Amino acid sequence: MDFTLDSEHKALADAVREMASRRGARPSANGAGPRPHDPDLWSAMAETGLLGLPFREEAGGFGASAVEVFVAARELGRAGLQSAYADALLAGSVLADAGDDLLGSAVAGEALVLPALAEPMRAFAPVPGGVTATITGEGAVLSGTKGPVPTGAAATHAVVTARIDEEGAGGSTSGETVLVLLDGPRVENDVMVLDGASGRILLRGADADRALVDALAHASVVLAGQALGAMESAMTMTSDYLRTRKQFGVPLAAFQALTHRAADMYVSLELARSTAMYLAMSVAEGDTDPALVGRCRVVLARTGRHIGQEAIQLHGGIGVTAEYAVGHLTAMLTAIERTYGDPRQLLGRLAADVADYDTVGVLT
Amino acid sequence: MQRSLSAEDARFQAEMREFMTTQVPQELRDKVTAGVELTKEEFVRSQRILNAAGYAVPHWPAEWGGRDWTPRQLHIWQSEMQSAGVPALLPFNVSMVGPVIATFGSEEQKERFLPATANLDIWWCQGFSEPDAGSDLASLRTTAVRDGDEWVVNGQKTWTTMAQHADWIFALVRTDPSAKKQEGISFLLIDMTSPGVEVRPIQLLDGGHEVNEVFFTDVRVPAENLVGEENRGWDYAKFLLGNERSGIAAVGALKRHLARIKSYAARVTDENGESVLGHPLVAARVAELEAELMALEVTVLRVAGHSHDGKPDPASSILKIRATQLQQDVLELAVDVAGSMSLVWLIEDDAAGEIEEDAVIPGWARRSTPTYLNFRKASIYGGSNEVQRQIIAGSVLGLKG
Ligand SMILES: Cc1cc2nc3c(=O)[nH]c(=O)nc-3n(C[C@H](O)[C@H](O)[C@H](O)COP(=O)(O)OP(=O)(O)OC[C@H]3O[C@@H](n4cnc5c(N)ncnc54)[C@H](O)[C@@H]3O)c2cc1C
């Protein structure tokens, strides 16, 4: 296993860092809350090549791997920039699997294609629940409700997961997953009501399930990179603050009760770093096993939670203000922890299989 | 040792429950239970109902509305209020400045302020912290200089909760710059409408406005507004902080909140269409929190923790640490139960007090993350949990470095 980043990775990181500092996070009335889609930032990300990073050159992409995606996402996380990057690569991965032409415009930043996987009042699951599709030749008519679809109001297209509810033309089997592309989805209040919306079928059955596993693994690499970047920034800000903030006539760093807590944060950070890199290289080599992805995500959730909570605490009052970046980083880590499933669900799925093997190997 | 309530206490409990659940308007209690922010008017309305019945300040001296209840009865009173979702009595009034004035104030101050404080005719805010005086409160720099019959106040307070609603502020000010830091501080009552007082909002990460900066420029305060003795303010502040801390241990409210989360979890389904409350990891977490809350509640019953004989009880530090940890854990569980729905927020100012229980993505789910993040404050305010550990280590265990 080789964890070194080469000069090309570093150049990519520099380019993204430069773009992020130029685009910077803008003030928002919503504190550290979710922001609407920012078209300027999105164009800048397209220009920097981020939107096409892992996709084939024929589709306007760069044919890079999950490692490059990780490198770029980490810089976005370091800068605390909210965007639909993970969502867009998830949807892009499905389009690529389906060989759909729309990928080109998505990569160029012209189309904003977002996945609609989550359903209200339902814990996240890779397979759809209450949204059903009736197959009509090449298309499908959907019913049910998806949500939340964060930033979905800005989407030009949506990749919707649904369950086939009837034997239709083309020999589909009832209950199978289908991935449907909707043109001009209507998202209001973060919710997409699909009363009779019809769209193009991208993939179905086992192909759809496989594509989803792959897409979720790629999106998890984005989340891992962003989480690691946010943790790195939160760690740096905290150490700097302990060195500069004075109380009782001395810098906070004079209190071992605090420096030991910072040291524990650093332990978490290093484990997060190895884990995020390990996930990126695994996916880059085509290993998208949900158990592996799940284990990595559990570790990143735990470490992100630890670092985010402690970063606020060690800052004192200023840590919970909207003005100061550390709370935004923690908000980002909190959201990442619950995107495409939360650690308790991921652990639940891992727990179901522990009797089936002896140890978890990492070298293959 | 005896577990059961005496017949008298049982009667008392029934009386409290009856009152809290029938006399305080349901609409207010529903909002509290759903975690909706209340308006100033709503807090005032609720506190006046309680005060009229003699239930706003039963812990004060009898002369000023106190009821001479036993610690057990005070506990029952609080937990019945909290489990019924009664809006909190304004802590700045009932547990902070009120007891200070009642214990250390002059007769004139008592007459002038206590009835109005109990009835929330005066809304108080707490002017202790400053930008450079947080944990090290005694290093505060706001000064009050005597000029004839007045004090002239200059300086800045920060993190002043709800100063935007406040009529008066109780402030710690430095009256003797030459004394040792704790010895030159006085406790001063300042009318917020005095010329030279300016309030500026601070936005918190949930997007809400609950804290402020308060600036004082040549603010003239009548000399009679100084509480107790000049330069003894630090003692009064310690007395007050002891009460603030134990007030933070709102076990009844935590139990009610956890019960709500269970009801939400019962409605959220997993991929097999079953309730996530049946998910072993969710259920185990609930069970764990319930056990820990039980331990906190019996500890509150065992060590009341209120300041007495003018001094804080170190037990208040134990309660503050544990209660805020559990509060934060309970709120975090709500985020997990909301799952993907926690990714979208409801900003309190936009919601305009709506509960949105039946929305496609219900209000509780949209409130889960901002509320969880907001309550990271609980381990910071009221004397941070690190400072509480310091107090336990020093005052209880005798471990002084
Ligand atoms: C939402 C909110 C509401 C508030 N409301 C009010 C109010 O109404 N009125 C008011 O007067 N104040 C209020 N406060 C202020 C609060 O009391 C202070 O924030 C608190 O005392 C901590 O001070 P600080 O923020 O300056 O942090 P600092 O004191 O700078 O502390 C930063 C970190 O260092 C730690 N630390 C500091 N000293 C030590 C030490 N010796 N040993 C170990 N650890 C240490 C702290 O625990 C913290 O983790 C409020 C604060 C918040 C966040």
Side-chain angles (χ1 to χ4, degrees), chain B residues 81-94:
Chain B
M81 271 195 300
Q82 290 168 2
S83 42
V86 173
L89 295 159
L90 193 67
F92 309 111
N93 287 35
V94 303

Side-chain angles (χ1 to χ4, degrees), chain A residues 13-14 28 161 310 345 356:
Chain A
D14 288 344
S28 150
T161 49
E310 289 289 77
Q345 289 165 266
D356 301 344

Side-chain angles (χ1 to χ4, degrees), chain B residues 12 16 20 47 50-79 81 89 93-95 99 102 118 306:
Chain B
F12 179 84
M16 286 298 131
M20 300 301 167
Q47 184 156 332
L50 278 112
N51 194 42
Y55 296 158
V57 291
H59 54 300
W60 288 11
E63 212 188 329
W64 300 106
R67 304 290 299 268
D68 286 328
W69 287 346
T70 62
R72 171 72 41 96
Q73 288 174 319
L74 286 170
H75 177 81
I76 294 171
W77 161 68
Q78 285 217 314
S79 60
M81 271 195 300
L89 295 159
N93 287 35
V94 303
S95 31
H306 292 287

Side-chain angles (χ1 to χ4, degrees), chain A residues 256-279:
Chain A
Q256 238 172 37
L258 301 179
T259 53
H260 284 190
R261 301 257 294 267
D264 279 338
M265 288 166 72
Y266 189 70
V267 172
S268 283
L269 177 60
E270 284 298 341
L271 291 165
R273 210 190 312 271
S274 326
T275 303
M277 289 176 149
Y278 174 64
L279 175 62

Side-chain angles (χ1 to χ4, degrees), chain B residues 23-62:
Chain B
Q23 300 306 303
V24 181
Q26 180 84 40
E27 83 205 68
L28 293 184
R29 294 187 293 114
D30 284 348
K31 282 190 177 182
V32 171
T33 307
V36 176
E37 213 172 86
L38 300 189
T39 63
K40 176 177 180 175
E41 289 63 38
E42 289 170 329
F43 278 114
V44 171
R45 197 170 142 211
S46 171
Q47 184 156 332
R48 288 190 183 156
I49 293 171
L50 278 112
N51 194 42
Y55 296 158
V57 291
H59 54 300
W60 288 11

